[in-house]
Amino acid sequence: MILALKIVILIVSVILIASILLQSSNSAGLSGSIGGGAEQLFGKKKSKGYEALLNRVSTIAAILFIVLSLVIVTLE
C-alpha cells in the first residue's frame, strides 16, 4: 500500500514540476514588476486556453502532492 502511494506521489511530483516549468512567466524581470502593477489591476484577463489548463493542472497536482505526503507520513 505504501509502495503504491510512493509511486503515485512520484508521478504527481513529475507532473507538478513539468506543469510549472511549462508556464510562461508573468513579468519580464525588474522592469516588468515596476510597470506591470497597473496591468495586473486593470489589465489583461488570463487566457482560457493553454495557460489556464496548465494553471489548473499545477493546482490539482500541488493539492494531490500535499495530501499524498500527509497520508504517507501518517501510514509509516
Side-chain angles (χ1 to χ4, degrees), residues 17-35:
I17 291 169
S19 66
I20 290 174
L21 288 177
L22 288 174
Q23 291 179 5
S24 63
S25 68
N26 291 335
S27 65
L30 184 60
S31 64
S33 65
I34 294 171

Side-chain angles (χ1 to χ4, degrees), residues 20-63:
I20 290 174
L21 288 177
L22 288 174
Q23 291 179 5
S24 63
S25 68
N26 291 335
S27 65
L30 184 60
S31 64
S33 65
I34 294 171
E39 186 174 300
Q40 283 182 340
L41 290 176
F42 306 110
K44 306 173 184 175
K45 292 183 179 180
K46 290 184 178 180
S47 65
K48 295 186 179 187
Y50 183 68
E51 291 294 324
L53 177 67
L54 283 176
N55 191 9
R56 187 172 297 128
V57 167
S58 61
T59 302
I60 292 170
I63 292 170

